[in-house]
Amino acid sequence: MDLFSVIQICQGARVITPSCNLRYEIYSFYGNLTDVGPPPPPVPVSNRSSTPQVEINQKSHRSHSTIVIVIPIMGSLVLIISIASICILLRRKKRKKSATNLNKEEIENFNSLQYSFEAIKVATNDFSNDNYLGEGAFGAVYKGKLPDEQEIAVKRLARNSVQGDVQFKNEILILTKLQHRNLVRLLGFCFEEEEMLLIYEFVINKSLDSFLFDPIQSSSSSMPWETRYRVINGIARGLVYLHEDSRLRIVHRDLKAGNVLLDTDFNPKIADFGMAKLFNIDQTQSVASTMVGTFGYMAPEYVLHGHVSTKSDVFSFGILILEIVSGQRISSFKIIGEKPENLLTFAWNKWLEGKAWNIVDPTLPSAFSTEILRCIHIGLLCVQHNMADRPTMSSVELMLSSSSLSLQVPSQPAFFTRSHTPSNATSQGNTSIRSI
């Protein structure tokens, strides 16, 4: 029962506070003559002598009733307000304590991940050329070994780079909160003497692109379909974790073969989270102020309007599937004896003609034709022009794991064109961009 209901069943009450004056009576007391009604009839002369006493008794009774009612109501109000105040204070104290503990925990985690520059310098033999592994988006990567014999990969970000500084902080923030077998693991970092270093677990088989596109490596030992299929499934699981299962919702924004590392058993590990974007758990998309990513892998709504969502990663994943199946980069796709077209156009035309096998790497055996053609189908669903027509990564994972699940018919993919790729597309197509 609320306060107003309590007052309604009482004869009269009054509550006075510094900011409020509340009064209730069963008679009109506010002096509005228009609402008072007609004046009482004149009192007969014979009863005039007893009127004062009656009025005194009525006023006394009314005053007594008011006091009797006001006291319990005021007591109840004070009790309710006190309880409410205590609850609010306790809740605020709990929240403040929780926030304090979280910040303290994060600070302790960061401190435990810090390495001295001297220690990393020793581990990499002063960043010698013998330990050089390659060039990343914002700096060189070196192999190293810690005193406990653990092998590490060290990304040395370019000095005095604003973008490198942003990437450095972003990657630490994200990877310290994530843990999944299909994501590369951050072991630590160093930020001193104008040096920004990120220390990762060393993944022995380097990146996926070195096996798919390197003419020397791929010609000597072509990656078998069983391995390619394991890589496709592992990348899908990693993206499902980023999009739906982790405590953060993350869009990678630069998913490509060069950012997928392979361990001893060729299990994929998604790497390079410097461009990743954090979303609120209920957020579906946002508009990027700066364009980052790699030509050929970026979704059309991102390229044209800067719209970022989990479906942006789905598009990149679709491109990856087609590259893994064909064994060729999207930027330099070419089939001998066929009209020159880009990968998406060629795949779509062959799909319509019922000749999708023409896109498949010729080193792959036809024994896996059903599974390979299904992957091409899933890849085409992922690269639809309209982001709403693309499946979620959890749906993709289900499609890959269940061969009995029927697939929707894809429509024309994004960036469909019959114009051939320019002569300099190979270098341009694999260039990471920062702003447009």
Side-chain angles (χ1 to χ4, degrees):
M1 182 180 293
D2 57 19
L3 178 60
F4 185 70
S5 301
V6 173
I7 293 176
Q8 279 188 312
I9 63 174
C10 301
Q11 293 182 359
R14 187 167 186 177
V15 179
I16 300 174
T17 68
S19 61
C20 179
N21 188 342
L22 175 64
R23 183 177 180 183
Y24 173 80
E25 299 287 352
I26 61 174
Y27 64 94
S28 180
F29 61 90
Y30 45 84
N32 190 342
L33 297 178
T34 57
D35 296 331
V36 173
V43 181
V45 176
S46 58
N47 294 335
R48 194 169 293 170
S49 61
S50 63
T51 299
Q53 184 63 37
V54 172
E55 290 179 351
I56 291 172
N57 290 338
Q58 289 178 344
K59 289 180 180 179
S60 176
H61 175 71
R62 194 173 293 137
S63 176
H64 179 71
S65 300
T66 300
I67 294 172
V68 170
I69 297 299
V70 167
I71 290 175
I73 290 178
M74 285 296 292
S76 300
L77 280 174
V78 170
L79 180 62
I80 292 171
I81 293 172
S82 300
I83 294 174
S85 300
I86 292 172
C87 290
I88 292 172
L89 289 173
L90 289 175
R91 184 176 299 178
R92 287 179 179 175
K93 185 177 181 180
K94 185 178 180 180
R95 287 179 180 174
K96 185 176 181 181
K97 183 179 179 181
S98 177
T100 303
N101 289 341
L102 180 62
N103 292 334
K104 183 179 179 181
E105 180 182 350
E106 288 182 339
I107 291 171
E108 289 176 352
N109 287 339
F110 283 145
N111 289 337
S112 66
L113 293 174
Q114 276 192 303
Y115 285 80
S116 68
F117 178 70
E118 188 61 33
I120 302 303
K121 190 176 178 181
V122 171
T124 59
N125 192 20
D126 198 10
F127 302 97
S128 68
N129 291 332
D130 293 337
N131 287 327
Y132 178 78
L133 296 176
E135 197 76 16
F138 293 100
V141 181
Y142 297 85
K143 182 181 178 181
K145 184 178 288 187
L146 297 175
D148 62 359
E149 298 299 316
Q150 182 179 7
E151 292 185 316
I152 57 174
V154 180
K155 182 191 290 186
R156 189 180 193 183
L157 280 76
R159 298 184 182 185
N160 303 321
S161 169
V162 175
Q163 291 174 327
D165 183 55
V166 172
Q167 188 210 29
F168 178 79
K169 295 175 182 176
N170 198 46
E171 193 144 0
I172 294 174
L173 174 65
I174 291 175
L175 286 180
T176 52
K177 297 177 181 293
L178 300 179
Q179 189 171 4
H180 190 271
R181 63 174 298 186
N182 295 118
L183 304 182
V184 70
R185 187 160 58 99
L186 181 72
L187 301 178
F189 66 94
C190 171
F191 188 40
E192 63 180 73
E193 299 182 15
E194 297 184 352
E195 291 281 355
M196 293 183 292
L197 308 176
L198 292 168
I199 298 96
Y200 305 94
E201 61 174 321
F202 178 71
V203 185
I204 192 168
N205 279 322
K206 301 183 180 179
S207 58
L208 175 62
D209 61 346
S210 64
F211 280 88
L212 290 177
F213 312 135
D214 189 308
I216 299 177
Q217 179 113 3
S218 58
S219 62
S220 61
S221 57
S222 177
M223 182 180 284
W225 172 249
E226 297 93 331
T227 302
R228 300 190 197 203
Y229 193 59
R230 186 188 311 136
V231 169
I232 291 173
N233 278 278
I235 297 171
R237 286 192 294 269
L239 288 176
V240 170
Y241 174 77
L242 292 176
H243 293 177
E244 301 179 24
D245 294 342
S246 70
R247 54 175 171 166
L248 304 172
R249 175 170 288 184
I250 297 169
V251 177
H252 189 279
R253 288 208 294 176
D254 196 25
L255 183 68
K256 58 183 179 181
N259 285 337
V260 176
L261 305 180
L262 303 172
D263 67 9
T264 308
D265 299 319
F266 286 89
N267 294 308
K269 293 180 180 289
I270 301 172
D272 203 340
F273 285 82
M275 304 176 196
K277 188 170 182 62
L278 278 74
F279 277 50
N280 295 326
I281 199 63
D282 57 348
Q283 188 179 2
T284 57
Q285 63 176 317
S286 69
V287 178
S289 58
T290 303
M291 189 77 69
V292 295
T294 304
F295 283 115
Y297 296 89
M298 295 186 293
E301 70 277 1
Y302 183 47
V303 173
L304 299 174
H305 309 292
H307 292 168
V308 183
S309 72
T310 54
K311 295 297 184 72
S312 306
D313 282 349
V314 174
F315 182 90
S316 302
F317 179 74
I319 297 295
L320 260 179
I321 288 181
L322 297 178
E323 287 186 328
I324 293 170
V325 168
S326 67
Q328 297 192 53
R329 291 187 192 274
I330 185 172
S331 57
S332 57
F333 179 78
K334 185 179 180 181
I335 296 292
I336 298 176
E338 297 281 356
K339 181 193 294 187
E341 292 172 318
N342 66 44
L343 176 57
L344 293 182
T345 299
F346 184 82
W348 176 243
N349 285 336
K350 293 305 174 184
W351 176 266
L352 291 179
E353 295 170 7
K355 301 177 181 178
W357 187 259
N358 288 23
I359 192 179
V360 179
D361 187 335
T363 63
L364 297 179
S366 59
F368 299 99
S369 60
T370 302
E371 200 169 62
I372 294 172
L373 291 174
R374 184 176 177 85
C375 283
I376 295 175
H377 191 161
I378 295 171
L380 288 173
L381 289 174
C382 291
V383 295
Q384 297 294 282
H385 180 83
N386 189 343
M387 59 184 289
D389 295 334
R390 298 173 212 151
T392 62
M393 282 311 305
S394 56
S395 298
V396 171
E397 185 184 26
L398 186 60
M399 294 176 195
L400 291 168
S401 61
S402 176
S403 59
S404 61
L405 185 67
S406 60
L407 305 180
Q408 293 182 351
V409 178
S411 57
Q412 180 175 296
F415 305 122
F416 179 81
T417 175
R418 290 187 177 277
S419 61
H420 67 84
T421 306
S423 58
N424 64 345
T426 302
S427 59
Q428 291 293 330
N430 196 40
T431 300
S432 296
I433 62 170
R434 307 295 157 235
S435 61
I436 293 180

